[in-house]
Amino acid sequence: MKKTNFSEWYNDILIDAQIMDVRYPIKGLYVWFPFGFKLRKLTYDVLRSLLDRDHEEAYFPLLIPENELLKESEHIKGFEEEVFWVTRGGFAELDIPLALRPTSETAIYPMFSIWIRSHADLPLKIYQLVNTFRYETKHTRPLIRLREITSFKEAHTAHASWEDAKLQTDAAVALYKEFYDRLGIPYIVSRRPQWDRFPGADYTLAFDTLMPDGKSLQVGTIHHLGTNFAKTFDITYEDRDGNQQFVNQTCYGISERCIAAVISVHGDDKGLVLPPEIAPVQVVIIPIYSKQADSEAILKACNELRDELSRYRVVLDTDDVRPGAKFYKWEKQGVPIRLEIGPRDLSKSSVTLVRRDTGKKESVKRSELQFRLAEAMINVLENITKKARAFLVSHTVAIEIPEQAKGKTGIFQISWCRSESCGRKLQELSDADVLGETEPMEGLCPICDAPTTIRALLARSY
Ligand code: 5CA
Ligand code: ZN
């Protein structure tokens, strides 16, 4: 059951709903089943369509020469323990070891240094959707903590000024909000504590959502890189007065954790519950035969219905099994709408419409079906969004002292002076992580008593 044993529920649903096969013989690497891969494609189509408004998609190599990877000292300190290395070609030792990208700053920025010449080349906004490799030492988990991240969307931008790059981080926040709104996933945006910012960044903003077990999951990050990488990789442009200036950069990334969130936040004990926009099957039609009725007429009506609904991803399930078994199968796959046609529906010129998210059944006139179906699709997203948001809100609690969070799950807001020492003390006393800074409020830091308007978010996290 999702409520009582989330971890078991999660592992079961990945197999039962045909998302991932976890039997691949390398730790932290998993196989996408075809159904899961369709879900992945549809989800990333949404993300792509948002990015394509004003970014261009590109592709950079998987392998990064050691000397480039090691150039930015902060960056490599953050990643050195997580890098997979290629050191041989056949039997020959390579002159320069090659890293499998853990993320692509050091693959992309040497090229930015060549590409960017003048202010006319700015802003530059590109993204790629690739696999990345991280030798994670924490407990690996499908879609959540991977050693091969198969669906890493990373955007990289360059700007004329620090302020322009800041505006881009704001734009990226808006973009990720739109993305997660389309998936019905609620989020909290916070500014990561400085000691936990992305290695090489001026600051990091994070999107977190709450999993059913009350632990938070970071589902995206946005980094202002300042001129840190520009100085290392010599990325300069000639400004309007003819002077050479360093660019300011940002990068922001989302991985298949977005799919882990969709599965976990919306799913129930029957299986997946999917937002219609990304559901691989949006409508399933099931003929209900009975002894007295004319099966051929029912099947004919179902076929006509399928043709009429061709603008949706629709399946007519004519398998020779009981309707109950079909309901069970498609509920598990998260199909938002089920349509049934039986003898009674046929005689009334109606269709029975059943919603996956509520289980509610209703008889809909055949002539009104198109309209009612479109309406139902919107209502599904609205309803699952509302439910998910209510869960997040009811599990977000303001506390006065860090001990109040100890042994509890959920997200806690607490005053904080922003110093690293007090932040670490908060973590220690609550046995939770500081996710970041949230909206300001007057208060006193519970560790040092200093007056502050800053509040920290504390949560046990994945
Ligand atoms: N270059 C930057 C932005 S593109 C970067 O690598 N940022 S990151 O390290 O914070 O990763 C971006 C997002 O990827 C994280 O917010 C997190 O949601 C996800 N992520 C990070 N590590 C893993 C992992 N091992 N498995 C699955 N997802 C991960
Ligand atoms: Zn303090």
Side-chain angles (χ1 to χ4, degrees):
M1 295 246 291
K2 177 170 155 180
K3 257 208 177 121
T4 50
N5 192 342
F6 168 68
S7 178
E8 186 182 55
W9 176 91
Y10 182 74
N11 290 330
D12 288 347
I13 201 172
L14 292 179
I15 292 282
D16 292 348
Q18 298 278 293
I19 307 287
M20 312 281 324
D21 197 324
V22 300
R23 292 169 294 189
Y24 194 75
I26 300 180
K27 181 181 156 69
L29 275 60
Y30 308 96
V31 176
W32 288 97
F33 282 117
F35 181 83
F37 205 69
K38 280 186 197 121
L39 176 62
R40 171 194 185 269
K41 180 187 180 302
L42 290 160
T43 307
Y44 280 82
D45 280 351
V46 175
L47 188 54
R48 270 210 165 94
S49 74
L50 296 176
L51 285 158
D52 285 343
R53 288 172 183 167
D54 63 347
H55 297 63
E56 286 196 294
E57 187 169 1
Y59 180 81
F60 292 79
L62 164 65
L63 298 174
I64 303 173
E66 182 181 43
N67 50 314
E68 296 291 358
L69 190 79
L70 298 185
K71 261 185 189 162
E72 217 290 333
S73 61
E74 285 296 312
H75 185 65
I76 193 54
K77 254 190 267 152
F79 277 106
E80 62 190 348
E81 291 177 0
E82 294 186 11
V83 176
F84 280 95
W85 289 101
V86 176
T87 56
R88 252 176 37 202
F91 294 112
E93 291 290 325
L94 299 178
D95 293 341
I96 299 175
L98 303 173
L100 299 185
R101 59 182 164 221
T103 167
S104 305
E105 284 72 12
T106 57
I108 295 176
Y109 299 166
M111 302 309 295
F112 273 17
S113 166
I114 299 170
W115 292 354
I116 298 171
R117 299 271 74 123
S118 94
H119 57 88
D121 299 324
L122 300 175
L124 177 64
K125 303 182 198 179
I126 61 122
Y127 75 93
Q128 63 174 0
L129 177 47
V130 297
N131 57 348
T132 59
F133 293 82
R134 295 184 181 183
Y135 185 74
E136 296 278 359
T137 47
K138 279 209 217 164
H139 185 65
T140 53
R141 230 182 262 275
L143 303 174
I144 292 177
R145 179 159 281 104
L146 304 160
R147 285 189 173 173
E148 180 187 1
I149 307 174
T150 69
S151 316
F152 197 66
K153 188 289 298 166
E154 49 179 325
H156 295 267
T157 71
H159 306 267
S161 68
W162 197 93
E163 185 56 29
D164 284 355
K166 189 218 168 268
L167 291 175
Q168 187 61 34
T169 64
D170 297 342
V173 168
L175 193 151
Y176 282 3
K177 281 184 174 173
E178 198 171 340
F179 175 60
Y180 279 111
D181 287 345
R182 297 259 286 262
L183 306 183
I185 298 295
Y187 42 76
I188 301 186
V189 187
S190 69
R191 187 179 162 126
R192 296 283 292 150
Q194 282 303 88
W195 73 81
D196 247 347
R197 66 187 193 269
F198 183 68
D202 277 0
Y203 65 80
T204 289
L205 305 172
F207 275 64
D208 283 273
T209 194
L210 192 61
M211 296 292 260
D213 58 358
K215 279 163 63 176
S216 66
L217 179 69
Q218 184 186 90
V219 290
T221 38
I222 297 154
H223 315 289
H224 193 310
L225 302 176
T227 52
N228 304 328
F229 285 90
K231 286 177 178 156
T232 308
F233 290 96
D234 194 30
I235 312 173
T236 60
Y237 69 97
E238 189 177 282
D239 69 14
R240 281 168 209 281
D241 304 322
N243 301 314
Q244 289 298 313
Q245 306 278 2
F246 288 114
V247 298
N248 275 266
Q249 291 174 272
T250 80
C251 67
Y252 30 103
I254 277 184
S255 77
E256 54 255 61
R257 282 187 183 183
C258 62
I259 295 169
V262 166
I263 293 170
S264 308
V265 168
H266 299 315
D268 63 19
D269 289 335
K270 290 180 178 171
L272 298 174
V273 176
L274 295 175
E277 188 174 10
I278 60 166
V281 178
Q282 296 172 303
V283 181
V284 61
I285 302 169
I286 297 182
I288 312 286
Y289 304 120
S290 82
K291 284 204 185 80
Q292 300 80 16
D294 179 354
S295 300
E296 244 162 65
I298 289 176
L299 188 60
K300 183 162 167 279
C302 286
N303 269 306
E304 282 168 8
L305 190 58
R306 184 195 46 199
D307 294 346
E308 200 180 300
L309 300 181
S310 61
R311 68 192 182 96
Y312 295 104
R313 293 183 286 276
V314 52
V315 168
L316 167 56
D317 188 348
T318 55
D319 282 0
D320 190 17
V321 294
R322 297 177 295 109
K326 294 182 187 176
F327 298 171
Y328 179 80
K329 168 183 169 186
W330 294 108
E331 278 169 354
K332 205 154 41 188
Q333 308 288 94
V335 179
I337 305 288
R338 178 172 86 225
L339 299 176
E340 303 168 12
I341 298 188
R344 189 135 13 110
D345 302 296
L346 203 57
S347 67
K348 289 191 301 178
S349 286
S350 64
V351 176
T352 300
L353 183 155
V354 188
R355 265 173 58 175
R356 172 65 181 89
D357 59 323
T358 58
K360 282 206 184 105
K361 257 186 185 207
E362 59 178 327
S363 181
V364 173
K365 280 213 187 74
R366 194 70 171 72
S367 56
E368 292 175 7
L369 185 63
Q370 283 284 4
F371 171 72
R372 297 294 299 282
L373 195 56
E375 187 183 54
M377 295 284 184
I378 294 168
N379 291 342
V380 169
L381 179 63
E382 240 175 54
N383 178 50
I384 63 176
T385 301
K386 216 157 75 189
K387 247 165 92 177
R389 220 172 254 151
F391 180 79
L392 178 72
V393 169
S394 68
H395 287 80
T396 306
V397 185
I399 57 173
E400 314 265 297
I401 54 166
E403 288 84 351
Q404 284 174 281
K406 195 160 180 153
K408 300 217 183 77
T409 55
I411 297 179
F412 300 92
Q413 301 161 320
I414 189 163
S415 290
W416 172 41
C417 66
R418 203 194 242 164
S419 79
E420 175 166 353
S421 60
C422 288
R424 292 196 184 275
K425 201 81 195 162
L426 287 178
Q427 297 194 139
E428 204 182 298
L429 295 172
S430 63
D431 201 17
D433 305 315
V434 173
L435 301 182
E437 284 171 33
T438 182
E439 294 92 51
M441 203 175 82
E442 305 263 333
L444 297 177
C445 174
I447 307 297
C448 70
D449 274 339
T452 180
T453 56
I454 311 283
R455 283 189 305 167
L457 291 175
L458 283 172
R460 250 162 292 278
S461 55
Y462 273 94

